[in-house]
Structure formats: structure tokens, C-alpha cells
Amino acid sequence: MLINFRKYRSVLLILLALLLVAVGASGLYGWHLYHEVEQRFSGRRWSIPSQIFSDALLLYPGMRIHRPSFSNKLHRLGYRPVKHVPRTRGEMRSTGTAVELFLHDLQLPDDRREGFAVRLRFDRQALVALTRIPSGAPLALVTLEPEQLGFFFGPEREKRELIAIDQLPPWLTGAVLTAEDSRFFEHFGLDWRGIGRAFLANLRSGSIRQGGSTITQQLAKNFFLTSDRTLARKWKEMLLALVIEWRYEKTTILEMYLNEIYLGQNGSVSINGIGEASRFYFGKPARDVTIAEAATLAGLIKSPNTYSPYVDPDRCRQRRDGILGVMHRHGLISAEDYDSARRADVQPAGFTPHPNAASYFVDYISGQLSELYAPEDLASLGLSIYTTLDTQVQEAAETALEKGLARIEAGMPGAVDPAAPREPLQGAVIVMKPQTGAVLAMVGGRDYRLSQFNRVVQARRQAGSTFKVFTYLAALDTHTPISALSNRARTYTVNGKPWQPRNDSALDTPVISLREALAKSVNRATVDLAMQVGMEKVVQTAELFGFSTPLEPYPSLSLGAVDVAPIELARAYCVFPAAGLLPVPIGLRDVYDENSQPLERRHMQVRRIIPPNRAFLMTSLLRSAVLQGTARGLADWGIHFPVAGKTGTTNNSRDAWFVGYTPDILILVWVGYDSGASIHASGAGAALPIWAELARAIPHQITGGDFGIPPGIEERIICSRDGFADFGGTCPETMPEWFLEKNVPEDSALFYHPDSVFKRLMQKFKGTVDDF
């Protein structure tokens, strides 16, 4: 039977026209997709969250180490215990007095090295030897990598470590191809066998159950499409796959895929890419995974939360072994490797939830970064942000504060019903390097989850007796540590109203030396000194230290009746151990881009505000506060190395302070209620024990050395009872005293007499009321 084409000519022409239109439309749409692919892949392919890192830790023979804190640090860095001598990166073995580590690779922008095995030998809290394994060669210094403190995520909250395909072992790429697309290098983006198989399965089920997607199609879907199972979405996916294959080489497509795929979840953060998954599941870079681990990772791609070794190890193993079998049949691994890999246990490295360490400090750094970078840049540019934080000091500060606050609450009057709702007691801690201003730790409150208010930076609390140091510093031009001050009750007129300072302790001696007055925090003697010096000079001296709070020349200022930010008070005290240099607090150190090129480098900023000899004399006075004064309780808390410092307690015990320092480190502790209610404790009783517990836990930051004596300081022997120089050698009890070179006592007629100071002062102080 012959077909009459003339009869169907018009129909054929219509069909041909429609076909041409469809081909033309597909061509135009393909051209559009080409530009869409080109634009998406030619720029930044992934938004890489910027990472915040702590400072690195330098290990060297002779340093002191708090072993429990050091063990916690190794755990946070991903070192996992093994029973054998460490053989691969991240393995660790403890053998009593020694710790053996196979170090991770160090990848700092200015310091890179491959990992190697090392043995650390301890004698109590001292690291006595550092040697290579197995040679035993001694090492002078080893750098332990920084810890991740946090990330700046975009809305997707994706975390990935980009890898280059030429750095991966062949069994890893082979395992992925085996699991997802064994004919990847044979097709042009579409695998018609797979499509036919999926078509028959979908036809039998009456719905879309299988997609038959190649790796290229999966890449197209992840980058450009939603996960909806529709024919229109599938058609676009196929066109995109063809465009991608036409535009890019196979190895480039595979590399993009390996960096893109979703492989699990760590809390609210998604694990994307083989590089990040290798670290999350096995604690090692992708280039170091074994054949068994490679097959495990490849098996996750199908359904990460179903086959996760953290969720269901047995199902994970079955999936892994199935992939290993196919790899063996296809000749990708030998029979020996196959048997060895199948016998290997499924042993994930273990993980901790996404780090939320040093949250107050991270917020502090974020505030500085917001002045330099937009939020979207921090969430996408993959910056590496290095800070000054010492995580061991941070951990010790958080622990000491929490234990100290709980201890105070347990001893509070009226705490009969622990279940009764009440305001939580709060505290703040900051630890700094005085000479550089580096912030080693910052705890802005008791629990960041309940309160993000950073009391170190944002709070303004009355300074109390910690502010007295500026009155004593202002007096050093005209007074010495043995200068006599009045401790008698006196009334001053302030703005036309009478004001009388009172002492906190029952110190009834009418006369007291300048050194003892500061050591014992005597209010009346301090105000007397301020009146002698002049309040204007006290204000001028305090203003040198950069307080943001306005300072008014009232007598109460000498006793600390002024609100200050704890970070500003800590900075001010840094001047004394730093030989008169006022540092700028530094938390942010360096910022590098994803190619390890520096974008921002912060150097220490200091300026001299007082001479070194005056700074030393103030330290000497504050040493007396620790040895004989209000901070003498430090010895009861196990602090026996040289410390200088000052306690502080405000009216009605609303605030409790202790600021203490060594030649190496300064620690400020504040305790109080946000509402200003009384804590029923002093600085010595509330803040000082927290300081001591923290200091004992960070021996690697405290050498135990004494304060150096600068030029311009002279020592003299004085009578300890009356405080005058023992020129005649007739004093039964003497003590050394420090003086500024220009203020050394020269009165050779002064000899020991028990009433000498008292008689002189009774002649000097005759009035009871001074007008201010």
C-alpha cells in the first residue's frame, strides 16, 4: 500500500516546522545554559566560610605544662589514642611519663611542614625532652597547630575543604566512580544505559523513583537545580550535563563534583566535599585515606545519614564491602588489598559538635572584623583569621570562673532554697600579655548560651579599690613608700556637703606609711594622700591610661568611685609590668585569603606613659599587697611565685575585683550581679580565689621569675617599725625599701624611736575639716 505523501504534506510540513522550532529553541536554550554555566563556574564556585583560629602553641624542653589541660587540647586538635607507636597523622599514645604524637601537617601561612612522629617526655609539670621517633634525635622546638575557634557561615551553613584531584590516591577516585558512575570516562554526560534502566524502573512503579544520573548530572543538579523529581527538572539537568561536558574536561568535572557533594551533618553544619568528609569521619586529609576508608566515603554519597559510620556502623560496613567487591572485580584493587580492606573495622575518628569555643572572644574578634569586611565576604571568601587566643588559658579561665561562682553562691547568706529562682551570679575574666597587649583569654560571662553580653568589653562597673593605684602613682613625684599618711577620721566638704571616708577594716593606727596604706587598702590614708597631691593631678595621671569614662576631680575618685570597662582596667594595669608602656589590646593578629596571601596584619601598639622606674616602684608597692596586704590569701591558694596585684570591693559589696600580674601575664577577675545587688563578699574572698585557680592551671604562661629592677631605682635599709632610714645602725629591726633615685631619704639625723612618726604627724594634722 502506497502512502499518499501529498495528502499528508501539510502535516509533515507542520511537524518539520515544529521540529525546527524545537531544535532552534533547544539551541537557544542551550546557549543560555552555556552562559549560565560559564558565569557560575568561571567565578567563585563555592562559598567557603572564613575560619577563626587560636594562636599556635610552641613546645620546647624546659617549659611547664598542665598535663590535663594539654590532653584536652590534643583531643580538640583531633589526636586520637592508639595502643601502638603512632604511624599516621593524628595518632597519639600515652606511656606514663611520655606522650607520643604523629603531628598533623602544619599549614600556617608563614610556617609549613609535614607531620612527623615525636615523643614528649615529662617530669611532673615540666617538659624535659622532645625527640623524634624513631631516631631519638633531640628537637629544640615543635609547633602545635592552632585550633579552630569558629566559622563565619552563610545561610547554607556549608563547611568544605577544597581538594585538587591530582592530590588524591587513585583508590579514592576509583571508589567514588565505582559507587556513582562507573562509565564516567566513557559517556558524554548522559549514560543511556542508566537512563534506560531508570526508565523501566519508573515505568513499573508508576512514579519517578530512579534518575539514572551521571556524576555530571549530579553536579548540574547540585549547582543549578532543586531536588524536585519532575520531568522538566530532569530535562534541564540533562541539557546542563551536556553543556558542562562540552565546556570542561572530565578531570575538572570530577574535581568539582568531589568538592561539591553532600556527605553528612555535624549539628547544624553540613559536611560538603571529600576533603571535609575525610577529616570529619577519619580525622585525616583526603590524600591519606586508606582503601577501606575511601570505599566508606564513596558509600556515603548515596545517603549520608543512612550509611554514616556514626549512625549505623553495620549498614555502613555492608555498603563499604559492596563497593570494595566491585572495585576488585573491575581490577581497581588487588585481591590482597581487597581482603585487607574488608577485614578492616569501621573506625570513625570521633567528632565533637561544631566548635563553639571562646564565644565571647569570637564575638570580640567579629566586632573588629566587621569594620574590615562585609558579612557576606566573611561567609564566602574562605579567609583564615588568626588570633592571639591561647585555648589552654581560655579553658582554664572558663573552668575557674564557673567553679568560683558556684563556690560563692553555695556560701551566700540566705541561700536556703537552692531551687528558688534568682538572678545568677556573674563574672568576667581577661588574660593579657602586658608587654604586647595580646589577649590570651576572655570570658565575658558565666554562660554564653544564656547571656551574650560580654562583661569584659561592654560592662561598666565601679572600680573600687583597684583604682587607688592611680592616686599612689600620682604621688611618686613628692612621696616615697615610707611617706607618712594620716589614718584619722576626717571630714571633707564636697560641693558644699560634708563627706567622710571610712575604712573597711578595723585599722585604728593614726599614722600609716604609704606602702602599708596601699597594701592594706586603707581608705582614709588614700584620701589623705590624694588631698596632698591634689585631685587634679590624680585625674591627669589616671587619664594617661586611656579610660573612656570621664573622670571628675572628687575625693571619692581616689577610692574608685568611677565606672570602668574591665578590659580598660586590665590594659591600665599592664603598664606596671610592661615598664611604663601602655599597650592596645590585640585579639586579631593576621588575616589571610584562601591563597595564604596576607590581607591584614596587626602589630602591637604601645606608647610609654610613665618611666620604667615608676612602673617598678608601683609593682613593688603592689607586691606588698600580695605579701602582707589584702591579697595575702594568694599563698593559701597555692600561689608562691612573684605576683603583684590589687583587690577591689565597692560599696555594699556590689563588685569584687582582683587584678594580679607576674612579669609574664596579667589576669583580671570581676565578680558581681548584673543588677548591682550585693554579693556579700570582698575582692579577696570572691575574685582572688578564681585568679589563683586560673593561674595554677597555666604554668606554660608563667615562668615564675621575679620583676626586673630598672635604672633609676635605689635600695635603702630602713627601720621596719617607724619607716625611716637606719643611718646610725641603731634600729633593732630593719627592712629593705625601694626609692626613686631622686627621692632617696638623706636626713642623717633620723634615728629609730617608736613614737617618732606619731609625734610628727600629730603636729602636722591639727584640723578635722578641710574644704575641698
Side-chain angles (χ1 to χ4, degrees):
M1 178 179 178
L2 297 177
I3 299 175
N4 188 350
F5 286 102
R6 289 184 179 180
K7 181 178 179 180
Y8 296 102
R9 181 179 179 183
S10 59
V11 175
L12 292 173
L13 289 175
I14 292 172
L15 291 175
L16 181 60
L18 291 173
L19 179 62
L20 290 174
V21 169
V23 170
S26 297
L28 290 174
Y29 187 54
W31 183 252
H32 165 73
L33 291 180
Y34 174 83
H35 283 287
E36 187 176 347
V37 168
E38 183 72 15
Q39 184 177 13
R40 181 68 176 85
F41 285 163
S42 62
R44 174 172 293 277
R45 294 172 183 168
W46 295 278
S47 292
I48 309 297
S50 298
Q51 303 180 67
I52 305 178
F53 294 95
S54 72
D55 201 0
L57 176 64
L58 300 180
L59 301 173
Y60 56 89
M63 75 180 295
R64 299 195 303 156
I65 291 180
H66 187 257
R67 293 286 298 276
S69 173
F70 184 65
S71 295
N72 291 342
K73 182 177 184 68
L74 294 177
H75 174 72
R76 290 192 301 269
L77 286 170
Y79 288 93
R80 55 197 183 277
V82 294
K83 296 181 179 180
H84 54 264
V85 175
R87 295 191 291 261
T88 61
R89 294 171 180 85
E91 291 187 339
M92 168 183 67
R93 182 174 74 160
S94 296
T95 60
T97 60
V99 174
E100 298 170 342
L101 301 172
F102 201 112
L103 297 169
H104 294 302
D105 293 345
L106 186 66
Q107 296 181 336
L108 298 177
D110 52 359
D111 188 6
R112 293 175 177 266
R113 59 141 174 82
E114 291 191 355
F116 61 92
V118 61
R119 178 179 291 108
L120 291 71
R121 189 163 60 85
F122 296 93
D123 182 5
R124 298 175 189 165
Q125 282 197 336
L127 175 60
V128 295
L130 201 57
T131 56
R132 275 186 176 268
I133 299 175
S135 69
L139 296 166
L141 188 72
V142 167
T143 302
L144 208 57
E145 64 270 21
E147 295 181 39
Q148 287 181 343
L149 301 179
F151 297 83
F152 289 97
F153 287 108
E156 298 84 7
R157 294 188 65 78
E158 293 180 351
K159 185 181 177 187
R160 59 168 50 81
E161 178 183 320
L162 299 182
I163 51 92
I165 196 169
D166 57 3
Q167 297 176 350
L168 300 179
W171 51 82
L172 179 52
T173 52
V176 172
L177 293 175
T178 297
E180 294 299 313
D181 191 354
S182 60
R183 287 172 24 86
F184 174 72
F185 285 101
E186 300 172 21
H187 61 66
F188 196 71
L190 303 178
D191 185 356
W192 296 109
R193 294 183 189 175
I195 292 174
R197 186 172 57 251
F199 176 77
L200 292 176
N202 294 334
L203 192 63
R204 284 192 296 268
S205 67
S207 62
I208 299 177
R209 295 291 183 87
Q210 294 185 18
S213 295
T214 64
I215 278 177
T216 313
Q217 287 175 269
Q218 293 181 50
L219 182 66
K221 181 184 70 173
N222 289 346
F223 266 98
F224 299 98
L225 305 172
T226 66
S227 57
D228 296 337
R229 290 175 176 262
T230 63
L231 290 175
R233 202 270 305 162
K234 192 67 178 179
W235 174 250
K236 185 176 181 180
E237 174 190 299
M238 295 170 66
L239 288 178
L240 281 167
L242 293 173
V243 169
I244 292 171
E245 289 271 353
W246 183 62
R247 175 63 182 83
Y248 295 101
E249 304 224 354
K250 284 284 189 181
T251 53
T252 302
I253 295 170
L254 183 57
E255 182 179 278
M256 288 191 289
Y257 175 78
L258 292 174
N259 280 312
E260 169 60 24
I261 46 176
Y262 169 73
L263 286 166
Q265 201 78 17
N266 182 2
S268 65
V269 178
S270 68
I271 305 301
N272 289 74
I274 283 289
E276 190 63 40
S278 299
R279 295 195 182 275
F280 178 66
Y281 290 106
F282 300 114
K284 62 179 67 174
R287 67 175 183 272
D288 290 341
V289 297
T290 64
I291 293 174
E293 292 166 346
T296 301
L297 292 173
L300 291 170
I301 300 173
K302 181 178 181 180
S303 180
N305 297 316
T306 300
Y307 297 109
S308 169
Y310 293 123
V311 175
D312 192 335
D314 292 335
R315 182 177 288 183
C316 174
R317 182 167 190 154
Q318 292 174 6
R319 173 75 173 155
R320 179 202 71 179
D321 291 349
I323 293 172
L324 289 172
V326 176
M327 291 176 70
H328 176 231
R329 289 196 299 272
H330 289 178
L332 297 178
I333 55 176
S334 66
E336 182 181 355
D337 287 338
Y338 170 60
D339 291 337
S340 176
R342 283 192 64 204
R343 288 195 302 269
D345 293 330
V346 176
Q347 290 185 328
F351 72 97
T352 55
H354 181 257
N356 193 25
S359 300
Y360 290 106
F361 178 80
V362 171
D363 282 356
Y364 174 64
I365 294 299
S366 300
Q368 298 180 21
L369 289 169
S370 65
E371 300 175 4
L372 303 171
Y373 305 100
E376 55 270 22
D377 291 336
L378 290 172
S380 64
L381 295 181
L383 306 179
S384 295
I385 300 155
Y386 294 93
T387 71
T388 59
L389 190 91
D390 182 327
T391 53
Q392 290 177 269
V393 179
Q394 179 70 26
E395 179 188 34
E398 292 172 356
T399 301
L401 182 64
E402 177 53 39
K403 290 174 65 176
L405 296 181
R407 185 169 53 241
I408 297 165
E409 286 179 332
M412 278 184 170
V416 179
D417 182 8
R422 65 181 185 189
E423 178 187 4
L425 185 63
Q426 286 293 347
V429 179
I430 181 171
V431 185
M432 296 177 66
K433 281 284 191 182
Q435 291 78 11
T436 64
V439 177
L440 303 183
M442 178 182 289
V443 187
R446 189 170 190 169
D447 190 335
Y448 183 83
R449 294 168 299 177
L450 301 178
S451 171
Q452 292 79 53
F453 180 66
N454 189 343
R455 293 156 187 83
V456 171
V457 179
Q458 297 171 290
R460 296 295 184 271
R461 303 295 300 205
Q462 193 170 101
S465 295
T466 60
F467 209 78
K468 288 177 179 176
V469 294
F470 306 110
T471 294
Y472 287 80
L473 175 62
L476 292 186
D477 278 333
T478 54
H479 293 66
T480 72
I482 64 173
S483 293
L485 304 177
S486 171
N487 188 36
R488 294 177 64 197
R490 303 185 67 192
T491 301
Y492 302 86
T493 301
V494 180
N495 289 338
K497 297 180 180 180
W499 176 74
Q500 186 179 78
R502 292 178 174 82
N503 289 334
D504 293 327
S505 60
L507 187 67
D508 56 4
T509 177
V511 179
I512 192 169
S513 72
L514 182 146
R515 177 178 290 276
E516 188 177 5
L518 181 57
K520 296 182 178 179
S521 201
V522 182
N523 289 343
R524 290 170 178 169
T526 300
V527 176
D528 173 55
L529 179 62
M531 293 300 98
Q532 293 183 44
V533 172
M535 285 307 305
E536 291 291 347
K537 186 170 184 180
V538 172
V539 169
Q540 291 171 7
T541 300
E543 286 177 340
L544 294 173
F545 290 79
F547 290 103
S548 59
T549 308
L551 305 176
E552 300 295 339
Y554 297 119
S556 58
L557 178 67
S558 65
L559 303 182
V562 60
D563 293 342
V564 298
I567 193 172
E568 293 181 357
L569 188 61
R571 177 198 184 198
Y573 267 74
C574 284
V575 171
F576 305 132
L581 297 173
L582 178 68
V584 174
I586 297 176
L588 177 63
R589 179 164 281 162
D590 301 310
V591 179
Y592 290 85
D593 66 15
E594 59 187 340
N595 299 314
S596 298
Q597 296 302 308
L599 299 178
E600 184 76 16
R601 309 203 76 167
R602 295 289 179 91
H603 303 283
M604 67 176 186
Q605 301 177 49
V606 296
R607 59 184 175 89
R608 187 174 301 283
I609 60 172
I610 62 174
N613 57 350
R614 294 192 186 191
F616 171 81
L617 197 54
M618 287 303 303
T619 290
S620 173
L621 296 173
L622 293 172
R623 284 282 290 132
S624 292
V626 171
L627 295 173
Q628 297 98 22
T630 56
R632 62 187 180 278
L634 275 181
D636 299 331
W637 286 91
I639 302 300
H640 303 297
F641 47 81
V643 176
K646 185 74 186 74
T647 59
T649 310
T650 60
N651 290 340
N652 198 29
S653 299
R654 293 186 179 94
D655 303 272
W657 301 83
F658 182 59
V659 190
Y661 58 86
T662 73
D664 317 291
I665 200 169
L666 180 138
I667 305 172
L668 176 146
V669 178
W670 168 84
V671 175
Y673 285 110
D674 287 338
S675 66
S678 174
I679 69 169
H680 304 287
S682 65
L688 183 144
I690 296 171
W691 192 102
E693 190 164 357
L694 166 54
R696 289 201 315 270
I698 53 173
H700 66 290
Q701 288 287 358
I702 299 175
T703 63
D706 208 343
F707 298 92
I709 305 170
I713 290 287
E714 293 195 16
E715 183 184 35
R716 290 290 186 272
I717 303 300
I718 66 168
C719 273
S720 58
R721 289 184 61 182
D722 68 2
F724 287 104
D726 181 34
F727 292 101
T730 60
C731 178
E733 186 179 343
T734 62
M735 61 178 285
E737 184 56 273
W738 300 105
F739 299 90
L740 294 180
E741 194 173 45
K742 68 174 186 176
N743 287 343
V744 176
E746 298 177 356
D747 189 354
S748 59
L750 294 174
F751 292 96
Y752 172 80
H753 189 285
D755 296 326
S756 58
V757 176
F758 176 73
K759 289 180 178 179
R760 289 163 184 261
L761 283 167
M762 290 306 98
Q763 296 173 0
K764 179 178 179 181
F765 301 110
K766 296 178 180 178
T768 59
V769 178
D770 285 347
D771 287 336
F772 177 73

